[in-house]
Amino acid sequence: MSATPQKKRASRRVLAAAAGLATVGALVAAMPAGAQDRGQGHGHGHGHGHGHKPRTVDVQLLSFNDLHGNLEPPAGSAGNVTKTHPDGTVEAIPAGGVEYLATSLRTARKGNPYSVTAAAGDMVGASPLLSGLFHDEPTIEALNKLKLDVSAVGNHEFDEGAKELARLQNGGCHPVEGCYEKGKKFKGADFPYLAANVTEEKTGKPLLKPYTIWKKNGVKIGFIGVTLEGTPDIVTAEGVKGLKFHDEIKTINKYAKELDRKGVKSIVALIHEGGAPASTSYNYDCDSPGAGDGISGPIVDIAKGITPKVDALVTGHTHQAYVCTVPDPAGKPRMVTSASSFGKLYTDTTLTYDLRTKDIVRTSVKSANHVVSRDQPKATDMTRLIERWNRLAAPIANAPQGYISADINGRGSTAPEKPLGNVIADAQLEGLAPADKGGAQVAFMNSGGIRADLVYKASGSEGDGVVTYGEAFTVQPFTNMMNVVDLTGAQLVSALQQQVSGPNEAAPKILQVSKGLTYTLDLTKTGAARVVTDTIKLNGEAIDPARTYRVAMNEFLAGGGDGFPAFAQGTNKLVGASDLDLFNAYLAAHSSATSPLAPPATDRITVIQ
């Protein structure tokens, strides 16, 4: 999702420390599946007697999205999917972890001679320490073992810029940290990353392949991959330097036409953009009461604009679960799917391929999301992979940073004001309030940059309630440098209004605020009016539009990221420590084994719904 800054100086220091532990490793590229080739179909061919060729075969499309380097099962509420039972009760099911995802996919492929696995972006970036510490090489290795056939790029694939993305595709050891395992060179991805709508400014040429054609026994399916056009708004300027991002619909339609001219009539679009179903339950029927009625968001208009030549859309970015049919421009239903995030679900879609027309029989397309449950056997090759990289990460990852008395929810909280958001904003204010550190009076944190919960239950041998460096890193993986800037009261008010207006009106992005700032959010209103301006107070005093305030935020927000142009108007900038350093310093200062940090009250934003 949003909040995508690249790792900078602070992470380099961390990585330099890690490089001393060992020197990267080759990704073990798994051989292609040796599935027995045999036709499978339910149509009737011409001719008589035995051995006639069937008219159709079923192609199994397995897909997922937004893995974000979550090789180990995601902890706390961020690791659950919700299921609504027929009686209306809702169950939280622990899910995800690449050991289980591998088992799920391998089990699903059995008995399906035509099976292709695709992803809709954000496989890497904003990753937990196990992957992020090694610039996501462990995740690419895992995806190779999963036999991923193709992936679109997501916005997070650009966190560290185009050169690093090219390295993940093509291989080679990191230009700064080098190789992490002695005698092993990183091999890169066995699957193609597709970036049809990303071009180089200087040449106008696509950055990576725009599409790929999957072939087996005469069956041909084209895959076109795009990321959201708004990627530059949610990635640091450095990450997208020299690149242009184009309209998703126009790009897909252009390459669908090109594939059609090449005789490829069956086409799937992999789109790193998504929607919001009316329910967060993975088994919600978003075709109720009518086709596509239960889903909203950018993907709906995109789906309605993509040429009927495209037979199915695999989407992502919003971390939601849905299987919907949204009508194409010709008014015919077309499957649009998304499989939540962090490897907690996968989608199984049946594409019935007509061997005569070389096209998908759209009326036969079926799709469903499945839980990657943790009560199935683990894939032993993935267990070995995780153990290997954990050994390299352990000296850094296991160092205690602080203590908590209970779960402090961030990613797993659906409320506008999140307990962990308050802790992070307070940490930033405290660290940058001293005059020589910037003199901050208030701090803002983008909620999309909070990537996990702080979980009380021990993740390893550290003991319950201990927050390790690895766990803190998983919450704040971008290692953004902090900025303190001058903003007027009027600009502060504008920034708060931009949470719920302009590009953020349809899907509000509520900032997490430091203690002392209070206001009312009236969600019964529309646009900027949702922020009740006369309720905005700092330490009990109304914000003075003409007064100048010292405001702390990460460099991503300070650049106007996430649709906050008001923040980019800041002056007298002072660059401080990284967000992760301030977070860890706050945990150390405010907790101990005998006096752990409790979840803070969420009483800064009053919400009217």
Side-chain angles (χ1 to χ4, degrees), residues 564-590:
F564 290 98
F567 284 145
Q569 296 169 358
T571 58
N572 295 328
K573 178 169 80 173
L574 184 141
V575 177
S578 76
D579 51 8
L580 180 60
D581 285 347
L582 293 181
F583 184 46
N584 283 332
Y586 186 86
L587 290 172
H590 291 271

Side-chain angles (χ1 to χ4, degrees), residues 163-376:
K163 281 186 180 173
E164 176 63 4
L165 174 55
R167 187 182 77 87
L168 291 180
Q169 177 72 89
N170 302 320
C173 296
H174 192 271
V176 178
E177 277 82 44
C179 302
Y180 298 113
E181 291 179 297
K182 196 173 181 180
K184 286 186 179 181
K185 184 181 175 186
F186 175 56
K187 285 173 64 178
D190 290 347
F191 55 91
Y193 261 122
L194 305 181
N197 65 331
V198 186
T199 59
E200 296 175 7
E201 274 180 356
K202 284 181 181 172
T203 64
K205 291 179 180 174
L207 177 69
L208 296 167
K209 288 172 63 169
Y211 59 79
T212 191
I213 302 167
W214 180 85
K215 300 175 185 175
K216 185 162 187 182
N217 292 354
V219 172
K220 288 193 291 189
I221 299 177
F223 287 88
I224 303 168
V226 298
T227 187
L228 71 156
E229 186 183 5
T231 291
D233 301 327
I234 52 175
V235 177
T236 52
E238 195 62 31
V240 294
K241 198 174 180 181
L243 302 176
K244 275 194 164 179
F245 292 76
H246 303 272
D247 180 86
E248 304 96 336
I249 298 171
K250 288 177 185 172
T251 303
I252 292 169
N253 289 352
K254 169 187 167 183
Y255 287 112
K257 198 179 283 185
E258 190 173 307
L259 282 166
D260 189 55
R261 282 199 304 268
K262 288 186 172 184
V264 179
K265 308 294 182 185
S266 299
I267 302 171
V268 174
L270 307 174
I271 308 171
H272 192 70
E273 178 59 290
S279 165
T280 56
S281 290
Y282 89 89
N283 61 334
Y284 167 68
D285 179 8
C286 57
D287 281 340
S288 175
D293 284 347
I295 188 168
S296 59
I299 200 60
V300 177
D301 287 337
I302 291 172
K304 288 176 177 174
I306 289 174
T307 171
K309 292 181 194 300
V310 174
D311 298 294
L313 312 182
V314 176
T315 74
H317 186 56
T318 57
H319 291 205
Q320 301 299 310
Y322 48 84
V323 173
C324 302
T325 52
V326 178
D328 68 13
K332 293 183 178 171
R334 177 168 55 194
M335 197 63 75
V336 179
T337 68
S338 175
S340 184
S341 64
F342 300 171
K344 293 181 287 189
L345 297 177
Y346 72 92
T347 312
D348 189 337
T349 302
T350 302
L351 302 172
T352 301
Y353 185 93
D354 189 315
L355 293 164
R356 191 185 304 160
T357 65
K358 297 183 169 58
D359 206 350
I360 300 299
V361 183
R362 277 246 228 115
T363 51
S364 298
V365 175
K366 296 181 184 67
S367 190
N369 275 328
H370 300 278
V371 177
V372 177
S373 70
R374 299 182 198 165
D375 57 6
Q376 59 186 322

Side-chain angles (χ1 to χ4, degrees), residues 108-134:
R109 289 177 188 136
K110 287 176 183 171
N112 289 282
Y114 295 89
S115 184
V116 56
T117 304
D122 278 6
M123 294 296 98
V124 300
S127 306
L129 189 78
L130 176 62
S131 188
L133 188 61
F134 306 107

Side-chain angles (χ1 to χ4, degrees), residues 5-14 401 423-432 437 445 469 472-473 476-484 552-556 574-587:
Q6 71 186 111
K7 302 173 182 74
K8 296 199 177 171
R9 283 161 287 182
S11 73
R12 288 190 189 122
R13 289 199 297 274
V14 171
Q401 303 299 307
V423 173
I424 291 169
D426 288 352
Q428 294 174 355
L429 177 63
E430 182 170 295
L432 300 170
K437 304 291 186 191
M445 175 63 194
Y469 185 90
F473 183 98
Q476 295 242 267
F478 298 117
T479 319
N480 257 325
M481 304 314 288
M482 291 299 299
N483 290 182
V484 185
M553 67 195 89
N554 61 46
E555 61 195 334
F556 170 63
L574 184 141
V575 177
S578 76
D579 51 8
L580 180 60
D581 285 347
L582 293 181
F583 184 46
N584 283 332
Y586 186 86
L587 290 172

Side-chain angles (χ1 to χ4, degrees), residues 427-490:
Q428 294 174 355
L429 177 63
E430 182 170 295
L432 300 170
D436 63 334
K437 304 291 186 191
Q441 297 164 277
V442 63
F444 292 99
M445 175 63 194
N446 51 317
S447 57
I450 306 168
R451 305 305 299 187
D453 303 333
L454 277 187
V455 178
Y456 178 78
K457 187 174 168 48
S459 59
S461 59
E462 77 275 12
D464 290 348
V466 180
V467 180
T468 64
Y469 185 90
E471 290 164 344
F473 183 98
T474 299
V475 169
Q476 295 242 267
F478 298 117
T479 319
N480 257 325
M481 304 314 288
M482 291 299 299
N483 290 182
V484 185
V485 298
D486 282 351
L487 286 172
T488 65

